[in-house]
Amino acid sequence: MSSPAAHMTLIREILAGIAPEAADCDIPGDADVREALDLDSMDFLNFIIALHEQTGVDIPETDYPQLFTLDGAIAYLGQHDRS
Amino acid sequence: MREFRMPALGADMESGVLAQWLVKPGSAVSPGDIVCVVETQKGAIEVEIFEDGVIEEILVEPGTEVPVGQPLARLDGGPAAAQGAAPELKPMEPQAGRPADVQAAPRSPAAPAGPPPEPRARPARALVTPAARRRAAELDVDPETMTGTGIDGSVTLADVEVAARRPESVKRPPQELAPEARPARGFDKSAMRAAIAAAMQRSKREIPHYYLGQAIDFSAAQGWLEARNADLPPASRLMPAVLLLKAAALSLRAVPDLNGHFVDGAFRPGKDINVGWVVALRGGGLVAPAINGVDRLPLPDLMSALRDLVQRARAGGLRASELSSGTVTVTSLGERGADRVMGVIYPPQVAVIGFGRIASRPWVVDGQVVARPLVDASLAADHRVCDGRLGGLLLAAIDRHLQKPGEL
């Protein structure tokens, strides 16, 4: 589970669980997923919780902004996911 | 002979469609058990019973539209036939005998009023994400029977895909394929819009609103949150909204005239502080299910209750009592919302407390302008019950509570 492609799949699955339209639409890698999918604060927290639970990566609150985009989230997991 | 009746799930509801029975004749029920699912303008709602007894006869078949107050089932046995006049008949009145009180009072006086997280007699029903539910319908599998790997064990799209590839294990039993027997867990957008419009028209017609607003320095609360959350895994972290909610509930203790219902020309104070929390639904619409006894809930419990409530509001699975037990409403616009909100009161309640987006703005400290995270708190309240002076006390109390986040 440490290749960028695997991370991408995981991220999209989690987002589709939160926002159904994520399953169908193409989100640009540099777009803010909160805007693209109309995620509120709790949706985004649920996204972080699921990422943490499924990768074991600890994501401190201060790092949240690095995961606002798909590119950012994949880069972040690539750096921190040692599984 | 006692009757279990179609409950009124809000000021605007006239009827609902009985979608599914979770009991059958001979089933023993006790207070808090979910006995059926009702389709309303607010989506599919799980309806609890508030009496002990045995279901003797089912009076209404799934798929039937039933007016509020009409008997759905007869029950027998159990104590106190005198209580038989189904208390959920008048769910809008915060007096003894209404569902939330039955839940909160007699069972365990030591414990705080029962909010969602400990569903005592809730049938084992999976949380299913909307995408998963839609896909499950396409694949003709039953998401309710799957093991979820998502948030809080919810069934996700991936779970459905995996399950559908397996043999017959999760295929729906044929007798459950009849559409009227399967509650559609979504909501009808135009019906919900009509329900919101009806409630808000009544509010604007009947309630002489007054409005107050106050900017509050959120830096103490934010600092406390950051320090606390830094040591915790994501699932244990608190959101700012939880502090706002708790501060509002504690403040209502000091201003009880803002917590309760205005019914039949008189204000009836709420016994507990049951806060309706406004949840925006994906694709439009909103619903404000209540968390009971918010002022007595520790912050982590409140956070869990909030997550549970929001998830169920969006996925379907709110309970009837949650839609009728609110004694006040709180709305928080969140990090991507507007700066401030002036609410419309949800009748028969008499107040709505609003919080805008928390944002860094200029603030004067010791004669110097400094940048501080501020939140705009607002109150819309009913002039038939109180005046702005009292409302001002509430906002001042919220401010005070937010300056001491460790005591929330």
Side-chain angles (χ1 to χ4, degrees):
Chain A
M1 182 50 83
S2 34
S3 77
H7 285 146
M8 181 62 153
T9 306
L10 175 68
I11 289 168
R12 296 196 70 102
E13 272 178 16
I14 293 170
L15 288 175
I18 295 168
E21 59 268 38
D24 309 325
C25 75
D26 264 324
I27 307 161
D30 60 351
D32 188 326
V33 291
R34 300 172 306 159
E35 306 284 343
L37 297 173
D38 193 22
L39 303 184
D40 66 16
S41 319
M42 186 166 298
D43 291 329
F44 189 75
L45 176 62
N46 283 330
F47 172 60
I48 298 291
I49 289 172
L51 274 184
H52 169 71
E53 286 176 351
Q54 298 194 30
T55 64
V57 174
D58 187 36
I59 309 169
E61 268 187 325
T62 46
D63 289 351
Y64 285 2
Q66 296 180 47
L67 292 99
F68 286 166
T69 66
L70 290 181
D71 290 348
I74 289 165
Y76 189 88
L77 292 181
Q79 270 173 29
H80 296 87
D81 187 357
R82 298 277 166 258
S83 62
Chain B
M1 184 59 62
R2 293 169 300 156
E3 283 164 337
F4 170 69
R5 296 164 187 267
M6 175 65 78
L9 308 173
D12 40 296
M13 176 171 156
E14 292 174 359
S15 66
V17 175
L18 193 287
Q20 184 183 18
W21 282 107
L22 302 173
V23 293
K24 51 182 187 292
S27 299
V29 295
S30 51
D33 285 0
I34 295 161
V35 295
C36 65
V37 179
V38 170
E39 277 291 345
T40 73
Q41 291 165 317
K42 297 183 173 104
I45 306 298
E46 299 179 342
V47 181
E48 312 102 311
I49 198 163
F50 293 96
E51 295 178 76
D52 273 310
V54 173
I55 300 291
E56 188 172 276
E57 188 184 0
I58 300 284
L59 301 172
V60 170
E61 290 300 312
T64 314
E65 181 163 358
V66 183
V68 168
Q70 180 175 312
L72 300 174
R74 279 208 297 268
L75 63 159
D76 205 355
Q83 290 178 355
E88 58 268 49
L89 248 185
K90 287 191 166 185
M92 303 311 293
E93 298 176 20
Q95 264 64 53
R98 71 181 238 292
D101 294 336
V102 176
Q103 255 190 344
R107 289 241 148 195
S108 47
E118 71 315 325
R120 185 174 59 245
R122 184 171 156 76
R125 178 198 294 279
L127 285 168
V128 184
T129 66
R133 195 170 293 284
R134 197 178 51 187
R135 187 73 181 128
E138 288 166 10
L139 296 171
D140 193 28
V141 294
D142 185 359
E144 308 284 345
T145 58
M146 293 173 194
T147 307
T149 59
I151 300 152
D152 296 334
S154 62
V155 175
T156 65
L157 192 57
D159 296 327
V160 171
E161 299 283 0
V162 168
R165 276 183 242 121
R166 277 201 301 264
E168 287 301 297
S169 57
V170 294
K171 291 278 182 190
R172 272 180 196 160
Q175 69 270 22
E176 284 192 36
L177 283 173
E180 69 275 10
R182 301 285 315 167
R185 282 309 180 100
F187 62 96
D188 176 339
K189 251 191 236 178
S190 60
M192 171 163 287
R193 183 54 50 204
I196 293 169
M200 295 301 102
Q201 278 169 342
R202 181 182 154 194
S203 173
K204 288 285 186 173
R205 198 168 54 236
E206 295 179 2
I207 303 177
H209 286 61
Y210 71 81
Y211 305 94
L212 299 172
Q214 179 165 334
I216 294 175
D217 181 357
F218 198 70
S219 55
Q222 186 153 301
W224 183 85
L225 268 181
E226 282 168 4
R228 183 187 182 284
N229 287 348
D231 300 328
L232 295 170
S236 304
R237 291 176 195 159
L238 298 177
M239 290 168 58
V242 175
L243 300 192
L244 299 173
L245 175 56
K246 184 72 184 284
L250 286 173
S251 302
L252 283 163
R253 281 183 180 173
V255 193
D257 278 358
L258 294 171
N259 181 65
H261 292 169
F262 191 89
V263 183
D264 298 333
F267 175 65
R268 301 174 185 181
K271 200 160 69 65
D272 298 309
I273 296 170
N274 302 335
V275 181
W277 179 257
V278 178
V279 181
L281 300 175
R282 302 197 69 80
L286 52 82
V287 61
I291 300 174
N292 290 349
V294 169
D295 58 318
R296 297 191 302 264
L297 285 179
L299 292 174
D301 295 4
L302 197 52
M303 181 72 207
S304 311
L306 211 53
R307 284 185 66 214
D308 173 61
L309 198 71
V310 171
Q311 179 136 1
R312 284 187 295 111
R314 291 185 174 151
L318 288 177
R319 295 190 270 283
S321 59
E322 293 170 330
L323 291 179
S324 52
S325 67
T327 53
V328 65
T329 296
V330 173
T331 181
S332 166
L333 302 185
E335 63 185 2
R336 292 177 48 243
D339 287 343
R340 64 190 64 88
V341 52
M342 294 295 175
V344 183
I345 299 167
Y346 183 53
Q349 295 172 12
V350 299
V352 45
I353 299 164
F355 296 101
R357 177 171 57 103
I358 299 161
S360 188
R361 298 197 192 97
W363 189 248
V364 176
V365 180
D366 299 331
Q368 299 293 313
V369 178
V370 294
R372 283 281 170 92
L374 302 187
V375 60
D376 240 304
S378 73
L379 170 74
D382 188 338
H383 247 316
R384 296 172 301 181
V385 182
C386 69
D387 301 313
R389 195 194 64 84
L390 205 69
L393 293 179
L394 179 89
L395 294 182
I398 291 174
D399 189 346
R400 273 199 312 279
H401 281 296
L402 287 174
Q403 303 316 315
K404 295 181 177 172
E407 297 172 14
L408 284 173

